[in-house]
Amino acid sequence: QIVTAGGLVAQALKTDRSRRTIKLPPSVAGLLREAERAQKAERARRVLKGKPWDDRGYVFTTREGKPMD
């Protein structure tokens, strides 16, 4: 959720029914797996160099692991 005055704010879902599962075409699932591999490699490089990584489980992040807004 983006809050006008404060930027990006992560909040819990209002109800359990708010969570959704969607079907993705195999091509999209493959692209997401590739993005995950690239992100893991970037995280490993940063950690080896002693640089911070913000690991909150977001799919798309900045080079530091922070959520994109």
Side-chain angles (χ1 to χ4, degrees):
Q1 176 181 2
I2 297 178
V3 178
T4 305
L8 185 67
V9 177
Q11 295 179 331
L13 298 173
K14 290 181 182 177
T15 69
D16 289 339
R17 293 185 61 166
S18 296
R19 184 169 304 280
R20 300 287 188 269
T21 300
I22 60 171
K23 284 190 171 192
L24 298 174
S27 59
V28 174
L31 290 170
L32 287 171
R33 281 191 289 276
E34 179 59 34
E36 180 183 35
R37 282 191 290 274
Q39 185 182 64
K40 285 180 179 180
E42 179 65 25
R43 179 182 340 152
R45 280 191 293 274
R46 290 187 64 81
V47 169
L48 282 174
K49 292 179 181 179
K51 295 182 178 181
W53 179 266
D54 185 350
D55 195 4
R56 291 187 268 172
Y58 289 103
V59 175
F60 299 105
T61 64
T62 65
R63 288 179 36 192
E64 295 84 24
K66 295 179 182 177
M68 299 175 88
D69 61 4

